[in-house]
Amino acid sequence: MPAPHPPEFRRRAVGLARQGSKPVSGLATELGISESCLRNWMAQAETDENGSASRLTSAEKKELAELRKKRRKPASLRWRMRFSNARLPTSHGRTSSQSNLPAGP
């Protein structure tokens, strides 16, 4: 996946496309991006400015990503805690929690 373009580049590309002096396909080619990429940027800019019932704004997307990241973190922590306490067999046939104990009579 190619590196994302800087926000300023996106804003300027959207501004040029909105001017309408060139077709979107020609402008996209000049800028070295695909037409669909430029159209997606235009749609997102429209949503960010005016809102939409069917699309999330950039701020909403960022918030959602952060919430998903926070939700994912505790689950992985629970998983690690669950298996860090597991008693694994050692080469002597005892579990790891028993391996420090003396062998007995």
Side-chain angles (χ1 to χ4, degrees), residues 3-72:
H5 295 283
E8 181 58 29
F9 177 81
R10 291 176 181 217
R11 280 191 291 274
R12 294 186 71 196
V14 168
L16 290 170
R18 285 178 174 172
Q19 285 177 357
S21 58
K22 295 182 181 180
V24 173
S25 60
L27 181 60
T29 302
E30 279 184 32
L31 295 173
I33 57 175
S34 68
E35 180 181 355
S36 62
C37 179
L38 182 53
R39 290 192 185 280
N40 285 338
W41 292 352
M42 292 171 67
Q44 188 62 54
E46 179 70 25
T47 299
D48 289 347
E49 292 165 7
N50 301 321
S52 170
S54 61
R55 286 183 68 118
L56 296 175
T57 65
S58 295
E60 291 169 332
K61 286 182 179 182
K62 184 177 180 180
E63 180 183 4
L64 183 58
E66 289 172 1
L67 290 170
R68 284 180 175 162
K69 186 177 179 181
K70 285 181 184 178
R71 182 171 177 237
R72 206 172 33 242

